[in-house]
Amino acid sequence: MNNQKKTILSGIQPSGRLHLGNYFGAIHQHLDFQHKGDAFYFIANYHSLTSLQDGEKLRQYTYEVALDYLALGMDPNKCTFFAQSDVPQVLELTWILGTLTPVSLMEKGVSYKDKVAQGMQPNIGLFTYPVLQAADILIYHSDIVPVGADQKQNIEISRDLAARFNYTYKGDYLRIPEPHIVESVATVPGVDGRKMSKSYDNTIDIFDKGKALKKKVMSIKTNSTPMEDPKDPDACNVFALIRLFASKDKVEEIADKYNKGGYGYGHAKKELLALIQDYFGEAHERRQELSGNPDMVWDMLRDGGRKARERAESVMADIRDVTGIVKNHTTRI
Ligand code: ADP
Ligand code: TRP
């Protein structure tokens, strides 16, 4: 049993272009984990409908997220990469889990409350978002779910719903997943110093380049300490980003320059710009090459979808059986 490969699963919403927060909070881990088990990664396009209601854009971002992951080093021969919507069984399980979900559990959703506080419409999709996420996870018998720290509660809810299902139907039908969170990655700040997020319009995107990238880096908010004066690196947004890209020695060297003075924020921004360009240089080239072959990207998603559906259907068949849901037509595989 111990030698059996663990199932690793995670998803990412295609609600916009991927940014440095997404990369260091989630994508970096996904890439790491693809070598460590049987990994399933998907583009959570149904989830995106809770915030993006523009068909053309959703299709475009779905494609771009796939392209971005490939360019960043995801290997479709090592893991199964697919679109959530290619596994209709997930929606079937969402309904069944919904019948076991207390309204009070959803009302405690931190992410739901935050989004409503930011002005989003409190629709049913947004409210039950964690149930769809639980179905995403449970339908593959996932063991490990690598996510950013803000997803902790959603994984807790998935665990809770799996346990409720098993208790109600008296058996170990659904596996209880474990989250995997890299606690050392703090929240990545955006150019305005708040959490980097698509909804704050403060992102530096992974595939920003040239003048656009430079403009964003140069616009990072700093305080007005004069160039000659010593500065506290730990209170600086530019330094927080430098930390993510630079080697340990380089981080120390730059921290020294901050502490000594005679080193301005403009200098730090230039160093950061060079670090970002260097870090993502290869990925930019690969993306450029891959973008000449969109069919390859769609084919990869289709193949991944087929594999994911096979796994999902085998779990769903047992779920239908134990819940007494009769299904007389064969589900597409
Ligand atoms: P956004 O806030 O831009 O809409 P998402 O909510 O779609 O981003 O986040 C997708 C993943 O990226 C999540 O796992 C989340 O933890 C991670 N993530 C997003 N922004 C940040 C950030 N600023 N710092 C660290 N991780 C982040
Ligand atoms: N809610 C996740 C996010 O915003 C995306 C997601 C959807 C997900 N389904 C999932 C993550 C299942 C992990 C597992 O980042």
Side-chain angles (χ1 to χ4, degrees):
M1 183 70 188
N2 276 346
N3 294 333
Q4 224 175 333
K5 269 194 182 173
K6 298 264 188 210
T7 298
I8 293 148
L9 171 124
S10 198
I12 186 123
Q13 292 191 72
S15 355
R17 302 225 149 74
L18 300 176
H19 54 74
L20 301 185
N22 298 141
Y23 183 78
F24 289 102
I27 302 169
H28 191 270
Q29 269 205 87
H30 298 167
L31 297 173
D32 254 12
F33 262 108
Q34 63 178 329
H35 309 288
K36 295 183 182 158
D38 199 5
F40 287 76
Y41 296 132
F42 67 93
I43 304 180
N45 50 356
Y46 281 125
H47 277 109
S48 276
L49 286 178
T50 59
S51 61
L52 177 64
Q53 285 148 0
D54 175 329
E56 224 19 80
K57 275 196 185 148
L58 183 56
R59 221 182 329 271
Q60 180 65 23
Y61 288 143
T62 302
Y63 167 74
E64 288 192 19
V65 167
L67 191 60
D68 291 354
Y69 264 70
L70 283 173
L72 289 166
M74 197 219 41
D75 180 351
N77 296 315
K78 290 223 170 65
C79 60
T80 306
F81 194 73
F82 58 101
Q84 184 182 36
S85 50
D86 271 332
V87 187
Q89 289 84 350
V90 164
L91 295 182
E92 232 183 311
L93 183 58
T94 300
W95 178 261
I96 293 176
L97 293 176
T99 63
L100 298 170
T101 308
V103 170
S104 59
L105 186 64
M106 295 297 98
E107 279 169 346
K108 288 186 202 124
V110 173
S111 169
Y112 173 74
K113 287 191 278 190
D114 277 359
K115 287 174 181 167
V116 174
Q118 276 172 40
M120 273 174 82
Q121 279 301 317
N123 62 51
I124 293 293
L126 197 63
F127 188 62
T128 60
Y129 181 117
V131 184
L132 175 56
Q133 184 159 350
D136 283 331
I137 296 171
L138 303 177
I139 203 144
Y140 306 104
H141 280 331
S142 308
D143 295 296
I144 302 169
V145 187
V147 280
D150 62 339
Q151 295 295 309
K152 208 170 186 164
Q153 188 187 34
N154 284 348
I155 312 303
E156 267 310 314
I157 292 173
S158 305
R159 290 167 58 85
D160 185 335
L161 295 184
R164 280 173 198 269
F165 186 94
N166 290 344
Y167 178 79
T168 306
Y169 291 99
K170 301 184 180 58
D172 285 335
Y173 297 105
L174 292 174
R175 195 169 295 172
I176 314 279
E178 293 288 339
H180 190 278
I181 294 166
V182 181
E183 303 286 354
S184 63
V185 175
T187 302
V188 177
V191 295
D192 59 359
R194 293 187 291 170
K195 174 194 158 173
M196 187 177 287
S197 170
K198 289 182 279 287
S199 28
Y200 295 153
D201 200 16
N202 65 354
T203 64
I204 298 176
D205 297 344
I206 302 173
F207 290 99
D208 275 339
K209 58 181 179 193
K211 276 191 192 145
L213 174 64
K214 187 169 177 192
K215 198 168 158 211
K216 284 192 187 173
V217 171
M218 292 303 161
S219 76
I220 298 172
K221 205 169 148 191
T222 52
N223 62 27
S224 51
T225 315
M227 217 264 284
E228 322 69 73
D229 291 7
K231 300 172 185 64
D232 177 5
D234 294 325
C236 176
N237 295 322
V238 184
F239 189 76
L241 292 171
I242 287 178
R243 248 184 207 296
L244 298 167
F245 290 96
S247 65
K248 205 164 160 265
D249 289 349
K250 184 86 182 164
V251 170
E252 276 172 24
E253 178 196 313
I254 298 178
D256 266 357
K257 294 190 204 168
Y258 268 79
N259 288 320
K260 278 200 187 109
Y263 179 79
Y265 291 120
H267 297 125
K269 287 177 182 177
K270 282 206 185 108
E271 298 222 46
L272 173 62
L273 180 61
L275 284 164
I276 298 178
Q277 283 166 331
D278 187 43
Y279 192 95
F280 289 121
E282 253 180 58
H284 278 245
E285 278 171 30
R286 222 174 300 135
R287 193 178 194 281
Q288 184 65 31
E289 282 163 27
L290 292 167
S291 65
N293 195 354
D295 286 351
M296 187 275 294
V297 175
W298 292 118
D299 286 352
M300 171 201 67
L301 288 179
R302 199 189 47 232
D303 290 349
R306 194 177 305 123
K307 276 204 258 167
R309 266 198 311 280
E310 272 170 26
R311 166 85 75 109
E313 177 55 24
S314 76
V315 176
M316 199 56 220
D318 290 344
I319 301 293
R320 283 187 213 111
D321 193 35
V322 68
T323 51
I325 291 294
V326 178
K327 193 154 190 173
N328 286 318
H329 75 88
T330 327
T331 306
R332 178 171 61 110
I333 294 187

